Amino acid sequence: MKRLFEKSGEKDVTKAIISAFLSELAEYVESDCIIVGGGPSGLMAGAELAKEGFKVVIIERNNYLGGGFWIGGYLMNKVTFRAPADKLLVDLGIPFKEVNYGLFVADGPHATSKLISYACSMGVKILNMTIFEDVVVREKKVAGCVVNWTPVEALPRQITCVDPIGLESKTVLDATGHDAQVAKKMEERGFVKTRGYGAMWVDASEDLIVQHTAEIYDGLFVAGMAVATVFGLPRMGPTFGAMLLSGKKAASLIKKKLESEKDIFLR
Ligand code: 48F
């Protein structure tokens, strides 16, 4: 019999990881929303949806979340925001300074960790080291994603096939940044058209990205820089207000759609 004071050993540590991970994965093979990309727009959207009780999972190819939010431009880790996004910084508890009228600066690592913490504490689940490969489309509706472990992408060619797995969801949000990977896959399949992002023009870009944040195919939404790529909008460089506002807008559009359907998986 195990003595009371006996500490857990290697097998117990391994079992704890396997059982916690697999039970979560089994629970999240079906969700209300799969968010592809854990950058600022994806994290914000996920947090806002999970706050409302929706079942949300973020697919992120890196081991870390945050995307381009950790650093500003040119490997300098200060991030900027333009009004009215300063109100969101207050809500998220991110310290910032006003450096010019309506222009705010914050520390990238501090801002990113606050946003990740917000998303996790609202109940967003994370599959990191996981790459989006394809879409599930049924009867002209996006109904999930096909994913694989990130390292599978880099496997030597001698290993011919490690099949991916399918995850079902009521909605999918493309928050993969400039690459707009989900929208591009839909384009490859002939379902949507993307235009590629335009030259930098921060003043126009922020508002346009928030305005164009939308459902682009039944069940598929876009947020953040993916919006610029889909709609041919100007790029904006290292300012992040529109990423947070676009994520928030995507969450409200997805919520509306989910509420119009009957069988949601409220947690
Ligand atoms: O690029 P990213 O930060 O996207 P965002 O939320 O924010 C854009 C800004 O960071 C910045 C900007 C404006 O301020 O110009 O670029 O639109 O985060 C995108 C996330 O998606 C992940 C990627 O690793 C990153 O964390 N991602 C991209 N492709 C895949 C993916 C994929 N195929 N599978 C899983 N994750």
Side-chain angles (χ1 to χ4, degrees), residues 3 26 30 33-34 38 59 70 107 118 127 134 140 170 177 187 195 198 221 223 242:
R3 280 170 295 163
E30 249 187 336
C33 185
I34 296 175
I59 304 296
W70 292 100
D107 285 331
Y118 176 48
L127 285 174
D134 208 341
K140 297 193 180 158
K170 303 273 173 217
E187 185 167 38
R195 299 181 56 191
F221 296 75

Side-chain angles (χ1 to χ4, degrees), residues 135-154:
V135 274
V136 177
V137 178
R138 278 193 213 124
E139 290 162 1
K140 297 193 180 158
K141 184 182 188 308
V142 171
C145 290
V146 179
V147 303
N148 216 330
W149 303 121
T150 301
V152 169
E153 237 199 336

